[in-house]
Amino acid sequence: MKNSIINIDKRHKDILDILEKNEHMTTLELANSLDVSLSTIRRDLHLLEEKNDIIRKFGYCIFNYDNKPENDHSGPVRIKQLLAKEASKHIHNNDTLFINSSSTALKVIDYLHLDHLTVITNNLKINYSPQNAHYNYILTGGEMRYPKEALVGDVAIQTLSAINADVCVVGCSGIDLENGVTAKTINEATINALMVKRTTKCKILVADHRKVGVTSKFKMSDISAFDYLITDQFSSEELLNDIQNLGVKVVQVT
Protein backbone atom coordinates (compact mmCIF):
# COMPACT_ATOMS: atom_id res chain seq x y z
CA MET A 1 0.00 0.00 0.00
CA LYS A 2 2.82 2.39 0.90
CA ASN A 3 4.53 1.79 -2.45
CA SER A 4 1.22 2.36 -4.24
CA ILE A 5 0.72 5.73 -2.54
CA ILE A 6 4.30 6.73 -3.35
CA ASN A 7 3.78 5.77 -7.00
CA ILE A 8 0.55 7.78 -7.21
CA ASP A 9 2.18 10.83 -5.62
CA LYS A 10 5.10 10.58 -8.03
CA ARG A 11 2.75 10.26 -11.00
CA HIS A 12 0.79 13.32 -9.85
CA LYS A 13 4.03 15.28 -9.62
CA ASP A 14 5.02 14.10 -13.10
CA ILE A 15 1.64 15.20 -14.49
CA LEU A 16 2.03 18.68 -13.00
CA ASP A 17 5.61 18.96 -14.30
CA ILE A 18 4.50 17.97 -17.80
CA LEU A 19 1.56 20.37 -17.82
CA GLU A 20 3.63 23.27 -16.56
CA LYS A 21 6.13 22.77 -19.37
CA ASN A 22 3.62 22.06 -22.14
CA GLU A 23 0.85 24.60 -21.29
CA HIS A 24 -1.96 22.16 -22.13
CA MET A 25 -2.38 18.48 -22.91
CA THR A 26 -5.19 16.03 -23.64
CA THR A 27 -5.93 13.02 -21.45
CA LEU A 28 -4.59 10.70 -24.14
CA GLU A 29 -1.35 12.67 -24.48
CA LEU A 30 -0.77 12.51 -20.74
CA ALA A 31 -1.53 8.79 -20.62
CA ASN A 32 0.96 8.15 -23.44
CA SER A 33 3.61 10.38 -21.83
CA LEU A 34 3.40 8.48 -18.54
CA ASP A 35 2.74 5.06 -20.09
CA VAL A 36 -0.44 4.48 -18.06
CA SER A 37 -4.02 3.66 -18.99
CA LEU A 38 -6.68 6.24 -19.79
CA SER A 39 -8.70 5.15 -16.75
CA THR A 40 -5.68 5.73 -14.50
CA ILE A 41 -4.95 9.17 -15.90
CA ARG A 42 -8.62 10.16 -15.62
CA ARG A 43 -8.60 9.25 -11.91
CA ASP A 44 -5.40 11.24 -11.45
CA LEU A 45 -6.81 14.29 -13.23
CA HIS A 46 -10.00 14.13 -11.18
CA LEU A 47 -7.97 14.21 -7.96
CA LEU A 48 -5.68 16.99 -9.18
CA GLU A 49 -8.70 19.05 -10.23
CA GLU A 50 -10.26 18.60 -6.77
CA LYS A 51 -6.99 19.85 -5.25
CA ASN A 52 -7.09 22.83 -7.65
CA ASP A 53 -3.68 21.86 -9.04
CA ILE A 54 -5.01 21.78 -12.60
CA ILE A 55 -7.84 23.33 -14.61
CA ARG A 56 -9.81 21.00 -16.88
CA LYS A 57 -11.23 22.38 -20.10
CA PHE A 58 -13.23 20.72 -22.86
CA GLY A 59 -10.84 18.22 -24.41
CA TYR A 60 -7.70 19.18 -22.49
CA CYS A 61 -6.34 20.37 -19.15
CA ILE A 62 -3.85 23.03 -18.08
CA PHE A 63 -1.59 23.71 -15.12
CA ASN A 64 -3.10 26.04 -12.51
CA TYR A 65 -0.50 28.80 -12.37
CA ASP A 66 -2.44 30.63 -9.64
CA ASN A 67 -1.05 28.14 -7.13
CA LYS A 68 2.49 29.40 -7.60
CA PRO A 69 2.96 32.44 -5.31
CA GLU A 70 5.91 33.73 -7.33
CA ASN A 71 3.86 33.62 -10.52
CA ASP A 72 2.30 36.84 -11.77
CA HIS A 73 -0.89 35.03 -12.88
CA SER A 74 -0.47 36.15 -16.46
CA GLY A 75 -0.36 32.64 -17.83
CA PRO A 76 2.30 30.41 -19.35
CA VAL A 77 5.49 32.20 -20.30
CA ARG A 78 5.47 31.24 -23.98
CA ILE A 79 1.90 32.47 -24.46
CA LYS A 80 2.73 35.70 -22.66
CA GLN A 81 5.66 36.24 -25.01
CA LEU A 82 3.55 35.57 -28.10
CA LEU A 83 0.87 38.04 -27.00
CA ALA A 84 3.44 40.73 -26.29
CA LYS A 85 5.27 40.19 -29.58
CA GLU A 86 2.01 40.55 -31.52
CA ALA A 87 1.07 43.71 -29.62
CA SER A 88 4.47 45.24 -30.37
CA LYS A 89 3.60 45.33 -34.09
CA HIS A 90 1.17 48.20 -33.44
CA ILE A 91 3.74 50.51 -31.82
CA HIS A 92 5.74 52.86 -34.03
CA ASN A 93 8.53 55.42 -33.94
CA ASN A 94 7.81 58.52 -31.82
CA ASP A 95 4.69 57.00 -30.25
CA THR A 96 3.72 57.65 -26.67
CA LEU A 97 2.75 54.35 -25.05
CA PHE A 98 0.72 53.50 -21.96
CA ILE A 99 1.52 50.17 -20.28
CA ASN A 100 -0.42 49.05 -17.23
CA SER A 101 0.60 46.75 -14.36
CA SER A 102 0.19 43.58 -16.46
CA SER A 103 3.43 41.68 -16.98
CA THR A 104 2.17 40.56 -20.38
CA ALA A 105 1.72 44.20 -21.39
CA LEU A 106 5.15 45.08 -20.00
CA LYS A 107 6.73 42.26 -22.01
CA VAL A 108 5.97 44.30 -25.16
CA ILE A 109 9.10 46.35 -24.48
CA ASP A 110 11.24 43.26 -25.14
CA TYR A 111 10.13 43.26 -28.80
CA LEU A 112 10.43 46.94 -29.66
CA HIS A 113 13.31 48.19 -31.80
CA LEU A 114 12.40 51.81 -32.44
CA ASP A 115 14.37 55.02 -32.90
CA HIS A 116 12.33 56.85 -30.29
CA LEU A 117 9.49 56.02 -27.89
CA THR A 118 7.94 57.48 -24.74
CA VAL A 119 6.67 54.91 -22.26
CA ILE A 120 4.31 55.87 -19.45
CA THR A 121 3.54 53.17 -16.91
CA ASN A 122 2.43 52.46 -13.36
CA ASN A 123 4.39 49.20 -13.48
CA LEU A 124 7.55 49.41 -11.38
CA LYS A 125 8.78 46.14 -12.84
CA ILE A 126 9.80 48.17 -15.87
CA ASN A 127 13.07 48.56 -13.93
CA TYR A 128 13.81 44.92 -14.80
CA SER A 129 12.98 45.32 -18.50
CA PRO A 130 15.51 46.05 -21.26
CA GLN A 131 16.39 49.75 -21.29
CA ASN A 132 16.89 51.79 -24.46
CA ALA A 133 18.84 55.04 -24.35
CA HIS A 134 16.59 56.51 -27.07
CA TYR A 135 13.38 55.95 -25.09
CA ASN A 136 11.81 58.19 -22.45
CA TYR A 137 10.40 56.39 -19.42
CA ILE A 138 7.80 58.05 -17.20
CA LEU A 139 6.49 56.47 -14.01
CA THR A 140 3.12 57.68 -12.84
CA GLY A 141 4.11 57.87 -9.20
CA GLY A 142 1.56 56.92 -6.57
CA GLU A 143 1.00 54.36 -3.86
CA MET A 144 2.91 51.10 -4.26
CA ARG A 145 0.78 47.94 -4.31
CA TYR A 146 2.59 44.69 -3.49
CA PRO A 147 3.37 42.06 -4.64
CA LYS A 148 2.57 43.31 -8.13
CA GLU A 149 4.66 46.49 -7.77
CA ALA A 150 1.87 48.56 -9.27
CA LEU A 151 1.51 52.30 -8.64
CA VAL A 152 -2.06 53.40 -7.91
CA GLY A 153 -3.99 56.15 -6.13
CA ASP A 154 -4.46 59.89 -6.50
CA VAL A 155 -0.91 60.74 -7.61
CA ALA A 156 -1.00 58.16 -10.41
CA ILE A 157 -4.44 59.39 -11.48
CA GLN A 158 -3.26 63.02 -11.58
CA THR A 159 -0.25 62.10 -13.72
CA LEU A 160 -2.29 60.12 -16.24
CA SER A 161 -4.99 62.79 -16.38
CA ALA A 162 -2.45 65.21 -17.86
CA ILE A 163 -1.16 62.87 -20.61
CA ASN A 164 -2.50 61.61 -23.94
CA ALA A 165 -0.93 58.50 -25.45
CA ASP A 166 -0.94 57.21 -29.03
CA VAL A 167 -1.15 53.56 -28.00
CA CYS A 168 -2.02 51.62 -24.86
CA VAL A 169 -1.28 47.98 -24.14
CA VAL A 170 -3.40 46.82 -21.22
CA GLY A 171 -3.78 43.47 -19.48
CA CYS A 172 -6.76 42.44 -17.38
CA SER A 173 -8.08 39.79 -15.01
CA GLY A 174 -11.21 38.98 -17.01
CA ILE A 175 -13.08 39.70 -20.23
CA ASP A 176 -16.73 38.79 -20.58
CA LEU A 177 -19.53 39.88 -22.93
CA GLU A 178 -21.94 40.78 -20.16
CA ASN A 179 -19.54 42.32 -17.65
CA GLY A 180 -16.89 43.80 -19.91
CA VAL A 181 -13.20 44.02 -19.07
CA THR A 182 -12.42 43.62 -15.39
CA ALA A 183 -9.56 43.88 -12.89
CA LYS A 184 -8.99 42.37 -9.44
CA THR A 185 -8.72 45.66 -7.52
CA ILE A 186 -10.68 48.89 -7.80
CA ASN A 187 -7.45 50.94 -7.79
CA GLU A 188 -6.04 49.13 -10.80
CA ALA A 189 -9.40 49.23 -12.59
CA THR A 190 -9.40 53.02 -12.18
CA ILE A 191 -5.86 53.37 -13.57
CA ASN A 192 -6.55 51.02 -16.47
CA ALA A 193 -9.76 52.84 -17.37
CA LEU A 194 -7.92 56.16 -17.45
CA MET A 195 -5.20 54.77 -19.72
CA VAL A 196 -7.81 53.51 -22.16
CA LYS A 197 -9.73 56.78 -22.06
CA ARG A 198 -6.65 58.92 -22.73
CA THR A 199 -5.32 56.83 -25.64
CA THR A 200 -6.00 58.55 -28.96
CA LYS A 201 -5.04 56.06 -31.68
CA CYS A 202 -4.74 52.36 -30.84
CA LYS A 203 -6.07 50.54 -27.78
CA ILE A 204 -4.82 46.99 -27.30
CA LEU A 205 -6.06 44.43 -24.78
CA VAL A 206 -3.84 41.41 -24.12
CA ALA A 207 -5.52 38.42 -22.44
CA ASP A 208 -4.63 34.73 -22.48
CA HIS A 209 -7.35 32.06 -22.66
CA ARG A 210 -7.67 31.88 -18.86
CA LYS A 211 -9.01 35.45 -18.82
CA VAL A 212 -11.45 35.12 -21.73
CA GLY A 213 -14.97 34.35 -20.55
CA VAL A 214 -14.08 35.28 -16.97
CA THR A 215 -15.40 38.11 -14.79
CA SER A 216 -13.19 39.60 -12.08
CA LYS A 217 -14.25 42.05 -9.39
CA PHE A 218 -14.11 45.56 -10.86
CA LYS A 219 -15.05 46.75 -14.32
CA MET A 220 -12.53 48.95 -16.09
CA SER A 221 -14.16 49.33 -19.51
CA ASP A 222 -16.49 47.91 -22.10
CA ILE A 223 -14.90 45.45 -24.50
CA SER A 224 -15.82 47.74 -27.40
CA ALA A 225 -13.47 50.41 -26.01
CA PHE A 226 -10.55 48.45 -27.50
CA ASP A 227 -9.38 48.30 -31.09
CA TYR A 228 -7.64 44.94 -30.65
CA LEU A 229 -7.93 41.89 -28.43
CA ILE A 230 -4.82 39.77 -28.65
CA THR A 231 -5.27 36.29 -27.19
CA ASP A 232 -4.14 32.72 -27.82
CA GLN A 233 -5.47 29.74 -29.74
CA PHE A 234 -7.10 28.16 -26.69
CA SER A 235 -9.72 30.89 -26.16
CA SER A 236 -13.37 30.15 -26.93
CA GLU A 237 -14.01 30.64 -30.65
CA GLU A 238 -17.68 31.38 -30.03
CA LEU A 239 -16.92 34.12 -27.52
CA LEU A 240 -14.20 35.59 -29.72
CA ASN A 241 -16.65 35.78 -32.62
CA ASP A 242 -19.09 37.67 -30.40
CA ILE A 243 -16.32 40.05 -29.36
CA GLN A 244 -15.38 40.62 -32.98
CA ASN A 245 -19.01 41.52 -33.70
CA LEU A 246 -18.58 44.39 -31.24
CA GLY A 247 -16.08 45.97 -33.65
CA VAL A 248 -12.94 44.69 -31.90
CA LYS A 249 -10.32 43.06 -34.11
CA VAL A 250 -9.41 39.72 -32.51
CA VAL A 251 -5.94 38.27 -33.11
CA GLN A 252 -5.11 34.75 -31.93
CA VAL A 253 -1.45 33.81 -31.61
CA THR A 254 -0.23 30.24 -31.99
Side-chain angles (χ1 to χ4, degrees), residues 82-166:
L82 290 171
L83 299 182
K85 187 174 183 179
E86 181 64 32
S88 72
K89 297 176 183 178
H90 302 280
I91 302 163
H92 307 289
N93 276 326
N94 300 308
D95 275 348
T96 297
L97 170 66
F98 283 144
I99 292 176
N100 76 335
S101 58
S102 159
S103 65
T104 304
L106 185 61
K107 198 75 177 169
V108 167
I109 292 176
D110 294 0
Y111 301 98
L112 296 175
H113 306 284
L114 304 174
D115 296 329
H116 187 269
L117 180 71
T118 298
V119 180
I120 300 110
T121 185
N122 69 324
N123 194 333
L124 274 180
K125 289 182 179 177
I126 195 171
N127 289 326
Y128 317 130
S129 297
Q131 305 294 311
N132 187 313
H134 300 291
Y135 295 178
N136 295 324
Y137 301 93
I138 300 173
L139 289 170
T140 62
E143 176 188 348
M144 169 89 76
R145 190 178 76 83
Y146 286 103
K148 207 170 183 182
E149 297 186 50
L151 297 170
V152 297
D154 291 343
V155 174
I157 290 170
Q158 289 171 13
T159 300
L160 292 171
S161 296
I163 300 172
N164 294 317
D166 299 295

Side-chain angles (χ1 to χ4, degrees), residues 12-204:
H12 286 181
K13 182 181 183 302
D14 290 342
I15 290 171
L16 293 176
D17 288 343
I18 291 170
L19 284 177
E20 187 173 8
K21 292 174 183 175
N22 289 277
E23 300 164 11
H24 82 291
M25 292 188 77
T26 66
T27 304
L28 179 59
E29 288 171 337
L30 283 168
N32 290 337
S33 295
L34 296 169
D35 196 24
V36 296
S37 69
L38 280 172
S39 59
T40 296
I41 208 73
R42 288 191 182 108
R43 286 196 298 271
D44 290 336
L45 294 178
H46 177 73
L47 290 171
L48 289 170
E49 183 181 31
E50 285 191 335
K51 292 165 63 181
N52 203 34
D53 287 334
I54 66 169
I55 298 170
R56 297 179 81 177
K57 301 278 187 177
F58 182 75
Y60 64 92
C61 56
I62 60 177
F63 184 83
N64 189 357
Y65 286 83
D66 285 347
N67 288 334
K68 302 193 75 172
E70 74 276 12
N71 191 277
D72 59 15
H73 298 182
S74 291
V77 172
R78 191 182 75 86
I79 290 178
K80 181 162 52 176
Q81 292 170 338
L82 290 171
L83 299 182
K85 187 174 183 179
E86 181 64 32
S88 72
K89 297 176 183 178
H90 302 280
I91 302 163
H92 307 289
N93 276 326
N94 300 308
D95 275 348
T96 297
L97 170 66
F98 283 144
I99 292 176
N100 76 335
S101 58
S102 159
S103 65
T104 304
L106 185 61
K107 198 75 177 169
V108 167
I109 292 176
D110 294 0
Y111 301 98
L112 296 175
H113 306 284
L114 304 174
D115 296 329
H116 187 269
L117 180 71
T118 298
V119 180
I120 300 110
T121 185
N122 69 324
N123 194 333
L124 274 180
K125 289 182 179 177
I126 195 171
N127 289 326
Y128 317 130
S129 297
Q131 305 294 311
N132 187 313
H134 300 291
Y135 295 178
N136 295 324
Y137 301 93
I138 300 173
L139 289 170
T140 62
E143 176 188 348
M144 169 89 76
R145 190 178 76 83
Y146 286 103
K148 207 170 183 182
E149 297 186 50
L151 297 170
V152 297
D154 291 343
V155 174
I157 290 170
Q158 289 171 13
T159 300
L160 292 171
S161 296
I163 300 172
N164 294 317
D166 299 295
V167 183
C168 70
V169 181
V170 174
C172 66
S173 298
I175 173 171
D176 175 76
L177 281 176
E178 183 177 350
N179 298 302
V181 186
T182 49
K184 287 186 178 178
T185 71
I186 192 168
N187 286 328
E188 287 196 60
T190 301
I191 295 295
N192 296 346
L194 193 52
M195 286 184 174
V196 174
K197 180 181 177 181
R198 300 199 67 86
T199 297
T200 60
K201 292 182 181 178
C202 184
K203 305 172 185 182
I204 302 168

